[in-house]
Amino acid sequence: MASILDEYEDSLHRSVSVQQSRASVGIPHSGYVNARLEKETPIFNKQRIDFAPPEKINSLVVSSNQLCMSLGKDTLLRIDLGKPDEPNQVELGRKDEARVYKMFLDHTGSHLLIALNTSECLYLNRSVQKVRALSRWKGHLIESVGWNKFLGSETNTGPILVGTSQGQIYEAEISVSEGSLFSTNPDQYFRQVYTLEEESGPAPVCCLEIERGIEGKFFIIATTRKRLFQFVGKVPEGTEQQGFSSIFAVHADHLPSFREFPANLGFSEIAFYTPKLRSNPRSFAWMMGNGVLYGTLDYSRPDSILSDERVWVYPPDIDITVNKPISIVLTQFHFLLLLPDRVKAVCTLNGQVVFQDLFLEKFGTLTRMIKDPTVQQIWIHTEKVVFRYHVQRESRDVWKMYMNMNKFDLAKEYCKDRPECLDIVLAKEAEHCFQNKRYLDSAKCYALTQNYFEEIALKFIEAKQEEALMEFLIKKLSNLKPSEKTQTTLLTTWLTELYLNWLGILQGDPSQRNLYLDTREKFRTFLSSPKNKDCLFNNRASIYELLASHGDTEHMVYFAVIMQDYERVVAHHCQHDEYDEALNVLSRHRDEKLFYKFSPVLIQHIPKKVVDAWISMGSRLDARNLIPALVNYSQSASTQQINEAIRYMEFCVYQLEETQQAIHNYLLSLYALCRPDSLLSYLEQAGTNPNRIHYDLKYALRLCAEHGHHRACVHVYKVMELYEEAVDLALQVDVDLAKSCADLPEDDEELRKKLWLKIARHVVQEEKDVKKAMACLSSCALLKIEDVLPFFPDFVTIDHFKEAICNSLEDYNKHIEELKREMEEATQSAKRIREDIQEMRNKYGSVEPQEKCAACDFPLLNRPFYLFLCGHMFHYDCLLQAVFPNLPAYKQAKLEDLQKKLAATSQPSKSHHRPKDADTVSLGKGQQSREQIKADIDDIVAAECVYCGELMIRSIDKPFIDPQKYEEEMQSWL
């Protein structure tokens, strides 16, 4: 143990000194500068139990934190280690000289068997205080018990195996009844199933163990002084309670498999180790005469579960004739041997004694050592003292042992939480792989260590192992932190250079084709790695330079795609006349800016495909930005190629419903150049409403005039409402077209007549067609024969106009008759109105003396009043007060003005020296003015009843209280 700790300490000191001497250059490494050795507690930490037994200790057993101790002749002490202050003492109740020979405690700590030296056996359950004798067991000296860990419970052991000193193996079952303490004998049955023999005859059954493997297979291990037997068999499903007789019956005629050693201790003992989270043991150690046989347990093997067996031979200081071992205990990585005066711990990995603990003579001779399998505590006792060992961090140095055995995976497994040790293991593994020329494995391990980066890189360079160097750099790169940007850039650039060099070498060798493809795939994986993306993007200029220096255009394009530098990719394809590939890149990544940039080049070579790509982009492309490419293309292309430009413009106008004037104007120019028929249909489809037309009217007019498309010009004139120009131009094309233009100004009859006169003059003077001129008269009601006659020459006879003149005279007669009828109807209406006025003047109403004002409820006749036809009556002032607020502002102002004038006419004159004639004249004028003013006031105030007229209807949505006076009104109610 001391040598291992010294080696561990030296290795750590070396690690610290190396890390402290490193300079901060190249790739940084997080060394363990602060690592230091702490004083660690021993793996096996001994503790003396503060317990002074009143009598000597005969036997001690522990299981599931339950400790049972035999003291003296007749006393049994039970202690629950969870409650050590509450011991329980039980008396065996023996009057004879019988003494405890051995005790056996099951895995639950519930069932205790006490074997006496008188070949008797007692039973004690944890839940009771009384010891019961097992009558069927009498006459047998019990040496070992194999407990049933699969069917046992706190009240029933299930089928168990019992070994005697005479070599017999018995099957038994003990049960405690629930109704009373014991309603029947606790031992249900006790029957022999087998006898173990050595070469000299039957031999004591020193140990028994029952284990269950896979598929219901049971393994029973039994040992004598020199032999280790294995019984293997299946117990039929559902018959486990019937015991193990069927397994032993198979070997009734022949011996089972066994291991035998020549030396003899006089006894043997086997120990097992079971991990905490497992139900089956994982390893074993059998102490016998020649040493200790230890190994692992493999439950998948058909006939024997013992595997990886090794024998640890007793060293010279252990003489089986003088100080032979007494007990053995197995832990995860050690087995402990109990000698009369000491304890030795041997590592199962390398067979070295790593711990030795010498006991003082005052404690007496060591009697027995036992381990509690549930809590992994080891107990040792003499006749006077009890000791306990705690196993602490047993695996602390296991990594170093595995490392020295070159079992690096296991070594790394046991130093995961100790990075300084893991670094040592990785460095040792890397060096081991390098020496064995496993360079790739070595590179992977070196990348995980904290060793000097430059030294490792030079090591692979000197060995000319570029592939391993690349692997080392890749792994090192993957372990860098995001903050180490400089180091990441260095490694990324170096790896790119190495990959390109390696690919260049392999590409020239046809025999290395497969390796080239594999390396190329690795390089592409490296370039497309998400972890390297940011670094490659930030340093893409350098990577492009490297790729260019090696002439690797294939990977330059690949890298540009990864970097989403599609402009470079498309430019590359265009430079190499790979126009289809360039368009595929544009279509795949749908970048509008790239379309705008490269469309002028692509449309010169693959116009149809380019237009298809534009159409697939839909509204994502702004057609205005593509017009320059189309203009350059259409100027040098044929009519068939221009059709592609028209196809895209039509898609924009009719499918995308573009309203941009530039697009419509360009489409117009293409139509005017190549498709005149489509030009007119387009103009007609656009309509005649200038506000809903998207092309420039003046541009369209000039364009159509330049190309001589007169019908299109006429249509544009009509849209611009230049009807005279439209008719003048239409007359050059078609008279019917001119007629359709002449009827357009529907609201301006004068203009319509003028336009039709233009048509008539053209027909008469240019075409000299009298019949067509007469047809014009019938087409327009505004034209008369007298309007057209001046256009005819003097030599035309009247016969051509006879019918037209007659029709004109008839129209005049009809018009005169219509005027006469209207005059008569007007005379009758005036007569009826005068009669109604006279009737209204004679209309009157009567008012009773007791009638009251509808507004103030005071007698009506006290003041001037109004009487309405509906029957409502109001005082003059009450009606004025009700009507005034609801009048429009201009009527309110007029009413106030009339009231002022009325008041002024009612005042007496202040002058007393006016001539009499003048006064009379003035009075007459004032009287007449006063009556007129009152009439005007009546027209405003008494136009309708305030309760029955429209005034009441208009005021229905007005609040009862004026909002401006609401606060004042509310305060008045408080």
Side-chain angles (χ1 to χ4, degrees), residues 724-767:
E724 292 189 44
E725 290 82 352
V727 170
D728 290 340
L729 185 58
L731 289 174
Q732 300 177 21
V733 179
D734 185 10
V735 174
D736 291 334
L737 179 61
K739 290 179 180 180
S740 64
C741 296
D743 284 332
L744 291 177
E746 298 177 354
D747 299 332
D748 192 344
E749 292 185 356
E750 184 178 353
L751 179 59
R752 284 175 60 200
K753 184 175 181 179
K754 182 178 180 181
L755 297 176
W756 276 103
L757 286 173
K758 282 177 177 286
I759 297 172
R761 178 185 291 111
H762 175 81
V763 172
V764 173
Q765 295 179 353
E766 300 295 332
E767 298 186 6

Short mmCIF file of all heavy atoms in Angstrom, two decimals, residues 724-767:
data_model
loop_
_atom_site.label_atom_id
_atom_site.label_comp_id
_atom_site.label_asym_id
_atom_site.label_seq_id
_atom_site.Cartn_x
_atom_site.Cartn_y
_atom_site.Cartn_z
N GLU A 724 -62.06 65.30 -79.78
CA GLU A 724 -61.89 65.88 -81.12
C GLU A 724 -60.70 65.23 -81.82
O GLU A 724 -60.78 64.85 -83.00
CB GLU A 724 -61.70 67.39 -81.01
CG GLU A 724 -62.94 68.13 -80.54
CD GLU A 724 -62.77 69.64 -80.66
OE1 GLU A 724 -62.25 70.08 -81.71
OE2 GLU A 724 -63.14 70.35 -79.72
N GLU A 725 -59.56 65.09 -81.09
CA GLU A 725 -58.39 64.45 -81.67
C GLU A 725 -58.69 62.98 -82.00
O GLU A 725 -58.24 62.45 -83.02
CB GLU A 725 -57.21 64.53 -80.72
CG GLU A 725 -56.63 65.93 -80.55
CD GLU A 725 -57.40 66.77 -79.55
OE1 GLU A 725 -58.47 66.31 -79.10
OE2 GLU A 725 -56.95 67.90 -79.24
N ALA A 726 -59.48 62.35 -81.10
CA ALA A 726 -59.81 60.95 -81.34
C ALA A 726 -60.64 60.80 -82.60
O ALA A 726 -60.40 59.90 -83.44
CB ALA A 726 -60.57 60.38 -80.12
N VAL A 727 -61.63 61.71 -82.80
CA VAL A 727 -62.49 61.62 -83.99
C VAL A 727 -61.69 61.94 -85.25
O VAL A 727 -61.82 61.27 -86.29
CB VAL A 727 -63.70 62.56 -83.84
CG1 VAL A 727 -64.46 62.68 -85.16
CG2 VAL A 727 -64.62 62.07 -82.73
N ASP A 728 -60.83 62.97 -85.16
CA ASP A 728 -60.03 63.33 -86.33
C ASP A 728 -59.17 62.16 -86.80
O ASP A 728 -59.07 61.87 -87.99
CB ASP A 728 -59.15 64.53 -86.00
CG ASP A 728 -59.97 65.81 -85.83
OD1 ASP A 728 -61.11 65.85 -86.32
OD2 ASP A 728 -59.47 66.76 -85.19
N LEU A 729 -58.51 61.46 -85.78
CA LEU A 729 -57.65 60.34 -86.14
C LEU A 729 -58.46 59.14 -86.58
O LEU A 729 -58.08 58.39 -87.50
CB LEU A 729 -56.74 59.98 -84.95
CG LEU A 729 -55.70 58.90 -85.19
CD1 LEU A 729 -54.76 59.31 -86.34
CD2 LEU A 729 -54.89 58.63 -83.92
N ALA A 730 -59.62 58.94 -85.94
CA ALA A 730 -60.46 57.78 -86.28
C ALA A 730 -61.00 57.91 -87.69
O ALA A 730 -61.20 56.90 -88.39
CB ALA A 730 -61.60 57.65 -85.28
N LEU A 731 -61.26 59.14 -88.13
CA LEU A 731 -61.77 59.33 -89.50
C LEU A 731 -60.76 58.88 -90.54
O LEU A 731 -61.12 58.55 -91.67
CB LEU A 731 -62.17 60.79 -89.71
CG LEU A 731 -63.44 61.25 -88.96
CD1 LEU A 731 -63.64 62.74 -89.12
CD2 LEU A 731 -64.66 60.48 -89.43
N GLN A 732 -59.46 58.86 -90.13
CA GLN A 732 -58.44 58.38 -91.05
C GLN A 732 -58.42 56.85 -91.14
O GLN A 732 -57.83 56.28 -92.05
CB GLN A 732 -57.06 58.87 -90.62
CG GLN A 732 -56.92 60.37 -90.58
CD GLN A 732 -55.55 60.80 -90.06
OE1 GLN A 732 -54.61 60.01 -90.10
NE2 GLN A 732 -55.46 62.06 -89.61
N VAL A 733 -59.06 56.23 -90.14
CA VAL A 733 -59.05 54.76 -90.08
C VAL A 733 -60.39 54.19 -90.48
O VAL A 733 -60.50 53.37 -91.40
CB VAL A 733 -58.67 54.30 -88.66
CG1 VAL A 733 -58.66 52.78 -88.58
CG2 VAL A 733 -57.32 54.86 -88.26
N ASP A 734 -61.44 54.62 -89.75
CA ASP A 734 -62.75 53.99 -89.94
C ASP A 734 -63.80 54.96 -89.43
O ASP A 734 -63.70 55.48 -88.31
CB ASP A 734 -62.81 52.66 -89.19
CG ASP A 734 -64.10 51.92 -89.46
OD1 ASP A 734 -64.86 52.33 -90.36
OD2 ASP A 734 -64.35 50.91 -88.76
N VAL A 735 -64.85 55.22 -90.26
CA VAL A 735 -65.92 56.13 -89.86
C VAL A 735 -66.67 55.58 -88.65
O VAL A 735 -67.06 56.33 -87.75
CB VAL A 735 -66.88 56.38 -91.05
CG1 VAL A 735 -68.08 57.21 -90.61
CG2 VAL A 735 -66.14 57.08 -92.18
N ASP A 736 -66.89 54.27 -88.65
CA ASP A 736 -67.60 53.67 -87.50
C ASP A 736 -66.83 53.90 -86.21
O ASP A 736 -67.42 54.12 -85.14
CB ASP A 736 -67.79 52.17 -87.73
CG ASP A 736 -68.79 51.91 -88.86
OD1 ASP A 736 -69.65 52.78 -89.10
OD2 ASP A 736 -68.70 50.82 -89.49
N LEU A 737 -65.49 53.82 -86.25
CA LEU A 737 -64.67 54.10 -85.06
C LEU A 737 -64.85 55.55 -84.62
O LEU A 737 -64.95 55.85 -83.43
CB LEU A 737 -63.20 53.80 -85.37
CG LEU A 737 -62.20 54.07 -84.24
CD1 LEU A 737 -62.51 53.21 -83.02
CD2 LEU A 737 -60.77 53.80 -84.72
N ALA A 738 -64.95 56.46 -85.61
CA ALA A 738 -65.17 57.88 -85.28
C ALA A 738 -66.54 58.08 -84.64
O ALA A 738 -66.70 58.88 -83.71
CB ALA A 738 -65.03 58.72 -86.55
N LYS A 739 -67.55 57.37 -85.17
CA LYS A 739 -68.89 57.49 -84.58
C LYS A 739 -68.89 57.05 -83.12
O LYS A 739 -69.54 57.67 -82.26
CB LYS A 739 -69.88 56.64 -85.37
CG LYS A 739 -70.19 57.18 -86.76
CD LYS A 739 -71.17 56.27 -87.49
CE LYS A 739 -71.49 56.80 -88.89
NZ LYS A 739 -72.46 55.91 -89.58
N SER A 740 -68.17 55.92 -82.81
CA SER A 740 -68.13 55.46 -81.41
C SER A 740 -67.46 56.49 -80.51
O SER A 740 -67.80 56.62 -79.34
CB SER A 740 -67.39 54.12 -81.33
OG SER A 740 -66.03 54.28 -81.72
N CYS A 741 -66.51 57.25 -81.07
CA CYS A 741 -65.84 58.28 -80.26
C CYS A 741 -66.76 59.49 -80.07
O CYS A 741 -66.72 60.15 -79.03
CB CYS A 741 -64.55 58.73 -80.95
SG CYS A 741 -63.31 57.43 -81.09
N ALA A 742 -67.58 59.80 -81.09
CA ALA A 742 -68.42 61.00 -81.02
C ALA A 742 -69.49 60.88 -79.96
O ALA A 742 -69.96 61.91 -79.44
CB ALA A 742 -69.05 61.24 -82.40
N ASP A 743 -69.93 59.69 -79.62
CA ASP A 743 -70.98 59.51 -78.61
C ASP A 743 -70.46 59.51 -77.19
O ASP A 743 -71.24 59.40 -76.24
CB ASP A 743 -71.74 58.21 -78.88
CG ASP A 743 -72.71 58.34 -80.06
OD1 ASP A 743 -73.16 59.47 -80.28
OD2 ASP A 743 -72.98 57.32 -80.72
N LEU A 744 -69.15 59.58 -77.00
CA LEU A 744 -68.59 59.45 -75.65
C LEU A 744 -68.90 60.62 -74.73
O LEU A 744 -69.24 60.42 -73.57
CB LEU A 744 -67.07 59.22 -75.73
CG LEU A 744 -66.65 57.87 -76.32
CD1 LEU A 744 -65.13 57.78 -76.42
CD2 LEU A 744 -67.17 56.73 -75.44
N PRO A 745 -68.80 61.88 -75.16
CA PRO A 745 -69.10 62.99 -74.23
C PRO A 745 -70.62 63.13 -74.01
O PRO A 745 -71.27 64.01 -74.59
CB PRO A 745 -68.50 64.22 -74.92
CG PRO A 745 -68.51 63.87 -76.36
CD PRO A 745 -68.29 62.40 -76.46
N GLU A 746 -71.19 62.29 -73.20
CA GLU A 746 -72.63 62.25 -73.00
C GLU A 746 -73.17 63.51 -72.35
O GLU A 746 -74.31 63.92 -72.58
CB GLU A 746 -73.00 61.03 -72.17
CG GLU A 746 -72.64 59.70 -72.84
CD GLU A 746 -72.94 58.52 -71.94
OE1 GLU A 746 -73.32 58.76 -70.77
OE2 GLU A 746 -72.80 57.37 -72.40
N ASP A 747 -72.37 64.14 -71.49
CA ASP A 747 -72.85 65.30 -70.74
C ASP A 747 -72.65 66.62 -71.50
O ASP A 747 -73.07 67.67 -71.02
CB ASP A 747 -72.12 65.39 -69.39
CG ASP A 747 -72.39 64.16 -68.54
OD1 ASP A 747 -73.46 63.56 -68.70
OD2 ASP A 747 -71.51 63.80 -67.71
N ASP A 748 -72.00 66.58 -72.59
CA ASP A 748 -71.71 67.81 -73.35
C ASP A 748 -72.33 67.67 -74.75
O ASP A 748 -71.70 67.15 -75.69
CB ASP A 748 -70.19 68.01 -73.44
CG ASP A 748 -69.84 69.40 -73.95
OD1 ASP A 748 -70.73 70.07 -74.51
OD2 ASP A 748 -68.66 69.79 -73.81
N GLU A 749 -73.60 68.13 -74.87
CA GLU A 749 -74.30 67.97 -76.15
C GLU A 749 -73.69 68.82 -77.24
O GLU A 749 -73.66 68.44 -78.42
CB GLU A 749 -75.78 68.33 -75.98
CG GLU A 749 -76.54 67.36 -75.12
CD GLU A 749 -78.03 67.67 -75.07
OE1 GLU A 749 -78.43 68.70 -75.67
OE2 GLU A 749 -78.78 66.88 -74.47
N GLU A 750 -73.19 69.94 -76.84
CA GLU A 750 -72.58 70.82 -77.84
C GLU A 750 -71.37 70.17 -78.48
O GLU A 750 -71.17 70.22 -79.70
CB GLU A 750 -72.19 72.15 -77.17
CG GLU A 750 -71.63 73.17 -78.16
CD GLU A 750 -71.28 74.49 -77.48
OE1 GLU A 750 -71.61 74.63 -76.28
OE2 GLU A 750 -70.68 75.35 -78.15
N LEU A 751 -70.52 69.54 -77.59
CA LEU A 751 -69.34 68.85 -78.11
C LEU A 751 -69.74 67.66 -78.97
O LEU A 751 -69.15 67.40 -80.03
CB LEU A 751 -68.44 68.40 -76.94
CG LEU A 751 -67.18 67.63 -77.33
CD1 LEU A 751 -66.30 68.49 -78.26
CD2 LEU A 751 -66.39 67.23 -76.09
N ARG A 752 -70.76 66.94 -78.53
CA ARG A 752 -71.20 65.78 -79.31
C ARG A 752 -71.67 66.24 -80.71
O ARG A 752 -71.36 65.61 -81.73
CB ARG A 752 -72.34 65.06 -78.59
CG ARG A 752 -71.88 64.21 -77.40
CD ARG A 752 -73.06 63.62 -76.67
NE ARG A 752 -73.85 62.78 -77.55
CZ ARG A 752 -75.12 62.46 -77.32
NH1 ARG A 752 -75.74 62.94 -76.24
NH2 ARG A 752 -75.77 61.68 -78.15
N LYS A 753 -72.43 67.31 -80.71
CA LYS A 753 -72.92 67.83 -82.01
C LYS A 753 -71.76 68.23 -82.90
O LYS A 753 -71.75 67.95 -84.12
CB LYS A 753 -73.85 69.01 -81.75
CG LYS A 753 -74.50 69.55 -83.02
CD LYS A 753 -75.49 70.66 -82.67
CE LYS A 753 -76.16 71.19 -83.95
NZ LYS A 753 -77.15 72.26 -83.64
N LYS A 754 -70.74 68.84 -82.26
CA LYS A 754 -69.57 69.27 -83.03
C LYS A 754 -68.84 68.08 -83.63
O LYS A 754 -68.39 68.10 -84.80
CB LYS A 754 -68.64 70.07 -82.10
CG LYS A 754 -67.42 70.62 -82.81
CD LYS A 754 -66.59 71.43 -81.81
CE LYS A 754 -65.36 72.00 -82.51
NZ LYS A 754 -64.53 72.78 -81.56
N LEU A 755 -68.72 67.01 -82.81
CA LEU A 755 -68.02 65.81 -83.29
C LEU A 755 -68.79 65.16 -84.43
O LEU A 755 -68.21 64.71 -85.43
CB LEU A 755 -67.82 64.83 -82.13
CG LEU A 755 -66.94 65.32 -80.97
CD1 LEU A 755 -66.89 64.29 -79.86
CD2 LEU A 755 -65.54 65.62 -81.47
N TRP A 756 -70.10 65.13 -84.29
CA TRP A 756 -70.90 64.51 -85.35
C TRP A 756 -70.89 65.37 -86.64
O TRP A 756 -70.92 64.86 -87.77
CB TRP A 756 -72.35 64.34 -84.89
CG TRP A 756 -72.53 63.06 -84.10
CD1 TRP A 756 -72.63 62.93 -82.78
CD2 TRP A 756 -72.61 61.76 -84.67
NE1 TRP A 756 -72.77 61.62 -82.42
CE2 TRP A 756 -72.77 60.87 -83.57
CE3 TRP A 756 -72.57 61.24 -85.96
CZ2 TRP A 756 -72.88 59.49 -83.73
CZ3 TRP A 756 -72.70 59.85 -86.11
CH2 TRP A 756 -72.84 59.00 -85.03
N LEU A 757 -70.77 66.65 -86.45
CA LEU A 757 -70.65 67.52 -87.63
C LEU A 757 -69.33 67.25 -88.36
O LEU A 757 -69.28 67.29 -89.60
CB LEU A 757 -70.73 69.00 -87.22
CG LEU A 757 -72.14 69.50 -86.85
CD1 LEU A 757 -72.07 70.92 -86.31
CD2 LEU A 757 -73.08 69.43 -88.06
N LYS A 758 -68.24 66.96 -87.55
CA LYS A 758 -66.98 66.60 -88.17
C LYS A 758 -67.14 65.35 -89.02
O LYS A 758 -66.63 65.24 -90.15
CB LYS A 758 -65.92 66.35 -87.09
CG LYS A 758 -65.31 67.60 -86.50
CD LYS A 758 -64.32 67.21 -85.40
CE LYS A 758 -63.63 68.42 -84.83
NZ LYS A 758 -62.63 68.96 -85.76
N ILE A 759 -67.86 64.39 -88.45
CA ILE A 759 -68.06 63.13 -89.19
C ILE A 759 -68.89 63.38 -90.44
O ILE A 759 -68.59 62.86 -91.53
CB ILE A 759 -68.75 62.10 -88.26
CG1 ILE A 759 -67.85 61.75 -87.05
CG2 ILE A 759 -69.07 60.83 -89.03
CD1 ILE A 759 -68.50 60.90 -86.00
N ALA A 760 -69.95 64.19 -90.29
CA ALA A 760 -70.81 64.49 -91.45
C ALA A 760 -70.04 65.21 -92.54
O ALA A 760 -70.18 64.91 -93.74
CB ALA A 760 -72.01 65.32 -90.99
N ARG A 761 -69.23 66.19 -92.15
CA ARG A 761 -68.45 66.92 -93.14
C ARG A 761 -67.51 65.95 -93.87
O ARG A 761 -67.35 66.04 -95.09
CB ARG A 761 -67.64 68.01 -92.45
CG ARG A 761 -66.76 68.79 -93.47
CD ARG A 761 -65.85 69.80 -92.80
NE ARG A 761 -66.59 70.89 -92.25
CZ ARG A 761 -66.73 71.14 -90.94
NH1 ARG A 761 -66.14 70.33 -90.05
NH2 ARG A 761 -67.42 72.17 -90.50
N HIS A 762 -66.86 65.02 -93.06
CA HIS A 762 -65.94 64.07 -93.69
C HIS A 762 -66.66 63.17 -94.68
O HIS A 762 -66.16 62.92 -95.79
CB HIS A 762 -65.28 63.22 -92.59
CG HIS A 762 -64.41 62.12 -93.14
ND1 HIS A 762 -63.13 62.35 -93.57
CD2 HIS A 762 -64.65 60.80 -93.35
CE1 HIS A 762 -62.60 61.22 -93.99
NE2 HIS A 762 -63.53 60.26 -93.88
N VAL A 763 -67.85 62.73 -94.27
CA VAL A 763 -68.61 61.84 -95.15
C VAL A 763 -69.03 62.56 -96.43
O VAL A 763 -68.97 62.01 -97.54
CB VAL A 763 -69.83 61.28 -94.41
CG1 VAL A 763 -70.73 60.51 -95.37
CG2 VAL A 763 -69.37 60.37 -93.27
N VAL A 764 -69.45 63.84 -96.28
CA VAL A 764 -69.96 64.59 -97.45
C VAL A 764 -68.83 65.05 -98.34
O VAL A 764 -68.83 64.83 -99.55
CB VAL A 764 -70.82 65.79 -96.99
CG1 VAL A 764 -71.21 66.65 -98.17
CG2 VAL A 764 -72.06 65.28 -96.26
N GLN A 765 -67.80 65.64 -97.68
CA GLN A 765 -66.77 66.29 -98.48
C GLN A 765 -65.69 65.33 -98.93
O GLN A 765 -65.14 65.47 -100.03
CB GLN A 765 -66.14 67.44 -97.67
CG GLN A 765 -67.12 68.56 -97.38
CD GLN A 765 -66.48 69.68 -96.57
OE1 GLN A 765 -65.35 69.56 -96.11
NE2 GLN A 765 -67.23 70.79 -96.40
N GLU A 766 -65.33 64.35 -98.08
CA GLU A 766 -64.24 63.44 -98.43
C GLU A 766 -64.75 62.22 -99.18
O GLU A 766 -64.22 61.82 -100.19
CB GLU A 766 -63.49 63.00 -97.17
CG GLU A 766 -62.87 64.16 -96.40
CD GLU A 766 -61.79 64.87 -97.19
OE1 GLU A 766 -61.16 64.21 -98.05
OE2 GLU A 766 -61.57 66.08 -96.96
N GLU A 767 -65.82 61.63 -98.61
CA GLU A 767 -66.32 60.41 -99.23
C GLU A 767 -67.41 60.69 -100.27
O GLU A 767 -67.76 59.81 -101.06
CB GLU A 767 -66.86 59.47 -98.14
CG GLU A 767 -65.79 59.03 -97.15
CD GLU A 767 -66.29 58.00 -96.18
OE1 GLU A 767 -67.45 57.55 -96.34
OE2 GLU A 767 -65.53 57.63 -95.25
#
